[in-house]
């Protein structure tokens, strides 16, 4: 599976009792730090899809509930449940929420698979990825695509 990264910029917070909501841009066509470009209009996906912690398929923290590709990027909405029962899941989800709240994790990343004949090599190297299956969205620490941003994190326990 390939990955492309995006910066999160937390701009606003509102109340909700059951979920923390994250909104932003999952990917843009701009060449990333790895020298690749992912065409937003080439995304094949179904929502909801997993929202993972640091691209670890064993560490889901929520779901990406909405995405709409445009030529300039893929706006998305995701939700992270507020887990009340003590245990590993609560600890992981609380870590994700706190990391967003304090800006320690400020990026998202797409996990995808290039579809058959879905890319071309660009002049100077790197791939122009034109057709791809989007498999997951992750909260990550280190981004490659600095143009994708989170526009809001909404929660009852996070003050604006």
């Amino acid at each position: 599976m390939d990955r492309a990264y995006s910066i999160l910029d937390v701009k606003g917070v509102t109340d909700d009792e059951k979920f923390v909501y994250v909104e932003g841009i999952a990917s843009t066509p701009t060449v990333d730090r790895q020298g690749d470009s992912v065409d937003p209009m080439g995304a094949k996906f179904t929502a909801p899809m997993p929202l993972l912690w640091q691209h670890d398929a064993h560490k889901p923290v929520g779901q990406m509930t909405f995405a709409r590709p445009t030529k300039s990027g893929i706006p998305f909405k995701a939700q992270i449940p507020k887990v009340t029962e003590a245990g590993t899941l609560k600890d992981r989800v609380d870590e994700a929420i706190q990391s967003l709240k304090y800006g320690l994790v400020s990026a998202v990343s797409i996990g995808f698979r290039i579809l058959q004949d879905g890319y071309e090599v660009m002049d100077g190297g790197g791939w122009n990825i034109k057709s791809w299956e989007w498999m997951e969205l992750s909260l990550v620490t280190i981004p490659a695509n600095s143009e994708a941003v989170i526009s809001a994190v909404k929660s009852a326990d996070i003050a604006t």
Side-chain angles (χ1 to χ4, degrees):
M1 176 170 34
D2 295 299
R3 299 178 179 126
Y5 304 88
S6 305
I7 295 282
L8 302 178
D9 182 18
V10 178
K11 304 225 189 232
V13 179
T14 59
D15 292 338
D16 188 293
E17 293 180 15
K18 294 183 180 183
F19 295 96
V20 170
Y21 297 95
V22 179
E23 300 177 26
I25 304 293
S27 185
T28 69
T30 301
V31 175
D32 64 22
R33 293 180 182 139
Q34 297 170 335
D36 301 324
S37 174
V38 180
D39 182 354
M41 299 306 290
K44 312 291 187 248
F45 66 95
T46 302
M49 81 171 56
L51 179 67
L52 302 180
W53 182 242
Q54 304 290 349
H55 277 300
D56 188 334
H58 300 287
K59 294 184 178 179
V61 294
Q63 290 187 326
M64 192 272 310
T65 58
F66 168 84
R68 179 173 292 146
T70 69
K71 289 181 182 181
S72 61
I74 305 176
F76 76 89
K77 294 180 182 180
Q79 63 186 28
I80 303 170
K82 293 182 180 178
V83 178
T84 57
E85 300 87 4
T88 304
L89 179 60
K90 178 174 179 31
D91 294 344
R92 179 173 62 245
V93 169
D94 286 351
E95 179 183 7
I97 292 169
Q98 288 174 332
S99 294
L100 287 168
K101 176 181 176 181
Y102 291 102
L104 299 176
V105 169
S106 60
V108 291
S109 172
I110 55 173
F112 64 96
R113 180 178 66 89
I114 300 172
L115 297 176
Q116 185 172 351
D117 300 323
Y119 74 97
E120 61 187 23
V121 177
M122 296 186 293
D123 292 341
W127 291 359
N128 181 9
I129 301 164
K130 295 180 171 197
S131 182
W132 49 285
E133 177 185 12
W134 189 6
M135 300 163 63
E136 54 94 353
L137 181 66
S138 287
L139 300 172
V140 297
T141 306
I142 302 172
N145 181 338
S146 62
E147 286 191 347
V149 298
I150 280 189
S151 56
V153 175
K154 303 175 185 176
S155 166
D157 7 1
I158 302 175
T160 302

